[in-house]
Amino acid sequence: MQDNKLPVHYIILFLYLIVAFFLNTNLRITLNVLFCLFCNFFYYDNRKKTINTQDIYFIISLICAAIGSLVPIWRHLQVGLVIEMLISILMLMFILLCLKSKTQYLFLGTNWGLVLGIFLIVLSLIYFTNHFLPYINDLNAPLAVIFVFILGFIFIITLIRAVNDTNYYQFFFGVCLIISSCIVAAFSIYHNTFALNNYFEDALAMSGIFFLTNGMLKNTTQLQSSGSYQQHHRNFSILYFLKKIF
């Protein structure tokens, strides 16, 4: 990554957070789409000379994020909510795919990181079941469960990676921001705590996309420059057998 490009990326995020605060919902949603496309262009521009399969997966996930940014306009409709959840699941699937590698397993990490991750995701599933599942339409319930499970799965993976490799810090922070945005969206849709399309949900989501982009770019660039995936801790978790699958 060129050093002079990264400050520009931060400036764009800062300007987005300021400008989006003063825009109405429709204009802000348009700005969300443009911001996702900008992150996509920023990532591709830095990786176009050495692009690989993981980069393609991540680029597709950013495209899904851009499409998903449009869908909240129809969130008040049942079909709009279904489409939004399907696109979100698709985005998360491609993020999960871009985390795969032939030399580093998804669950490579310290045992305490794995235990902490599983504990947090179990608490999240219990909270989701008690506070949101009773309000979700029967058609959307399976999609909601799949979405929460995949998002929690990504959280555990990135948490363990961040424990082992500082290159994953920004990516992990981006995942946390995406989770925060989803929590705000859930309260907006099912509990009417916030406006249906509100600034804070969009700000958290776009900031998450920003840090995911920077984190993925830093990680892939660092790994490629070193010639291989460095495994600082060869302490495989109890899920080590899943290496045959992942």
Side-chain angles (χ1 to χ4, degrees):
M1 186 195 323
Q2 297 181 14
D3 293 336
N4 60 338
K5 291 183 179 181
L6 191 57
V8 174
H9 201 204
Y10 276 95
I11 291 173
I12 294 295
L13 174 65
F14 180 72
L15 292 176
Y16 164 83
L17 294 175
I18 295 176
V19 173
F21 183 79
F22 297 98
L23 298 179
N24 60 44
T25 300
N26 291 337
L27 289 177
R28 192 172 65 248
I29 287 175
T30 302
L31 190 61
N32 293 343
V33 176
L34 293 176
F35 185 82
C36 290
L37 293 176
F38 170 76
C39 287
N40 203 335
F41 171 78
F42 177 80
Y43 186 86
Y44 175 76
D45 186 56
N46 282 277
R47 293 290 300 164
K48 60 185 177 183
K49 294 182 180 179
T50 54
I51 195 167
N52 56 31
T53 303
Q54 288 177 298
D55 295 322
I56 294 174
Y57 287 144
F58 188 71
I59 289 171
I60 295 175
S61 71
L62 291 180
I63 294 174
C64 291
I67 298 173
S69 298
L70 275 174
V71 183
I73 298 176
W74 303 283
R75 184 180 281 175
H76 62 284
L77 301 174
Q78 185 64 36
V79 65
L81 192 57
V82 171
I83 293 174
E84 182 178 7
M85 295 181 70
L86 287 172
I87 294 174
S88 298
I89 290 172
L90 189 62
M91 181 191 76
L92 293 180
M93 288 300 298
F94 279 107
I95 289 178
L96 188 60
L97 286 172
C98 78
L99 290 172
K100 291 175 56 179
S101 75
K102 295 180 179 179
T103 56
Q104 189 178 48
Y105 306 123
L106 291 181
F107 282 101
L108 174 63
T110 57
N111 289 330
W112 73 263
L114 177 67
V115 172
L116 176 61
I118 293 177
F119 176 73
L120 291 175
I121 192 57
V122 168
L123 286 182
S124 301
L125 286 172
I126 293 174
Y127 183 82
F128 169 77
T129 302
N130 290 334
H131 288 79
F132 295 107
L133 199 58
Y135 302 95
I136 299 177
N137 185 282
D138 291 341
L139 179 63
N140 292 340
L143 294 177
V145 172
I146 293 172
F147 176 81
V148 172
F149 178 78
I150 297 176
L151 189 58
F153 195 62
I154 292 174
F155 174 80
I156 294 176
I157 294 168
T158 53
L159 172 64
I160 295 175
R161 293 279 181 88
V163 169
N164 293 333
D165 191 345
T166 56
N167 289 328
Y168 278 95
Y169 281 173
Q170 288 195 72
F171 198 94
F172 175 69
F173 185 55
V175 171
C176 292
L177 288 172
I178 293 294
I179 292 174
S180 301
S181 174
C182 293
I183 293 173
V184 174
F187 276 102
S188 300
I189 296 171
Y190 299 110
H191 290 295
N192 297 319
T193 305
F194 309 100
L196 198 57
N197 297 304
N198 64 88
Y199 167 78
F200 294 104
E201 176 189 342
D202 293 340
L204 287 169
M206 294 304 107
S207 298
I209 294 296
F210 171 86
F211 283 104
L212 284 178
T213 303
N214 281 354
M216 186 67 184
L217 187 59
K218 180 179 181 180
N219 184 55
T220 53
T221 303
Q222 179 67 27
L223 293 176
Q224 195 158 36
S225 64
S226 64
S228 64
Y229 282 76
Q230 300 297 324
Q231 298 182 7
H232 301 292
H233 302 273
R234 299 193 61 84
N235 180 18
F236 293 99
S237 72
I238 57 175
L239 296 177
Y240 173 76
F241 67 93
L242 288 177
K243 69 178 183 177
K244 299 296 184 181
I245 301 175
F246 298 106

